[in-house]
Amino acid sequence: MILYPAIDLKDGNCVRLLRGDMSAATVFNEDPASQARAFQDAGCQWIHVVDLNGAFEGRPVNSDAVERIVAAVDVDVQLGGGIRTLETIEHWLSVGLSRVILGTVVVKNPALVVEACRHFPGRIAISIDARGGWVAIEGWAADAALSVLDLARRFEGAGAAAIVYTDIDKDGAMEGPNVAATRALAEAVSIPVIASGGISSMADLETVRREIPNLNGAISGRAIYDGKIDITSAVELLSFGAGKPTC
C-alpha cells in the first residue's frame, strides 16, 4: 500500500482546506518544491498534487508551482485540478508528471476520459469526490446526480490507472476516513482505489490497511504537516508484509 503525501496548491502556496472550503485555507509552506523534496528525502515514491485554483476555474492556474515540483524531485508525481482537455493532459505528461487525475470531466465528458486512457495507458486516474455517497464536481462547488458506485462502474474496462476517492466531509477535518464507503468502492470495481479524506493518524493508516486489504494507497496532507503522521513510521507500517518499504 502506498502513502501519497499531498501538496494542495492555492495561489502558489502549499495549503490545506477544511472540507473543500477555499476560504478556510491554512498555508503550510510557501515553497511547494521544497516540500516535495522533503517528501522525497523522507523516502516517498509518489507525491499527490492538486491545483485547487485550477479545480475551481476549470484550467491550470498553479502551473509554475507544479513545474517546479516536478523539476525538484525524481519520484513519481500525480496531479489533479482543472485538467479538462486532451491538450492539457498531453502538456502535463510532457513536462514530467507520471499521472494526471481527471475529476469534473469524469461526469461532464466521460468520452474524453476513455479517450485519454486509450492514448496514455497507465497514466490517467479518475477522481471521484463525494458528500454522503453522492458525487461533487467543479472543485466540490456543485453536485452531480450520481452515486459514487454508479459513476465508478461506468469506467470499468476503460483502462484507468486508479480511482482517487475523496470523502469531502472528512477532508481536512482530522476525524478519520470513511472506511465503509471506501471499502464498498474498492470491492465494487477492479480499478485500484486510493483513499483520500480524513487520514489523520497512524491509527487511521493501520485501519485502512487492515480493513481494506485491496486498497492501492492513501492520501494524507494535514496530518503529515501537523506531525500526526510520521512518514518514516508510515513507510514501515504500510510496507508490513509487502517485501519492501513504499511511500
Side-chain angles (χ1 to χ4, degrees), residues 5-214:
I7 295 178
D8 289 358
L9 299 171
K10 179 177 182 287
D11 305 330
N13 296 318
C14 178
V15 307
R16 291 302 289 170
L17 306 184
L18 176 60
R19 299 186 177 96
D21 184 354
M22 286 286 275
S23 66
T26 302
V27 176
F28 283 97
N29 196 325
E30 295 180 353
D31 185 353
S34 72
Q35 185 62 65
R37 283 193 298 271
F39 287 146
Q40 175 179 269
D41 292 345
C44 291
Q45 296 173 5
W46 277 90
I47 297 172
H48 175 77
V49 181
V50 179
D51 181 351
L52 294 173
N53 302 99
F56 279 90
E57 296 190 25
R59 61 179 180 84
V61 175
N62 288 286
S63 298
D64 288 345
V66 174
E67 291 184 19
R68 288 197 301 271
I69 289 170
V70 172
V73 298
D74 298 319
V75 297
D76 292 307
V77 180
Q78 62 180 21
L79 171 73
I83 304 172
R84 301 183 187 176
T85 68
L86 202 62
E87 292 75 20
T88 303
I89 295 169
E90 189 168 16
H91 164 72
W92 279 129
L93 294 177
S94 73
V95 301
L97 286 168
S98 298
R99 189 155 67 196
V100 299
I101 305 167
L102 305 180
T104 294
V105 294
V106 172
V107 174
K108 290 196 163 185
N109 192 356
L112 171 66
V113 179
V114 173
E115 183 180 6
C117 289
R118 185 174 66 250
H119 276 287
F120 309 107
R123 303 185 73 184
I124 306 297
I126 293 169
S127 176
I128 300 180
D129 307 330
R131 292 185 186 91
W134 295 93
V135 176
I137 57 174
E138 308 285 0
W140 302 350
D143 294 327
L146 279 170
S147 74
V148 170
L149 297 185
D150 285 344
L151 180 58
R153 287 177 176 133
R154 293 183 180 185
F155 295 95
E156 278 280 53
I163 293 175
V164 178
Y165 172 62
T166 302
D167 187 299
I168 297 168
D169 292 327
K170 297 290 188 178
D171 190 71
M174 301 291 284
E175 296 173 353
N178 189 332
V179 174
T182 306
R183 181 173 55 237
L185 175 59
E187 292 175 349
V189 295
S190 61
I191 306 167
V193 173
I194 300 169
S196 178
I199 304 290
S200 59
S201 66
M202 295 296 294
D204 288 338
L205 288 174
E206 168 59 29
T207 296
V208 296
R209 187 186 70 86
R210 182 182 66 249
E211 299 294 334
I212 318 173
N214 57 337

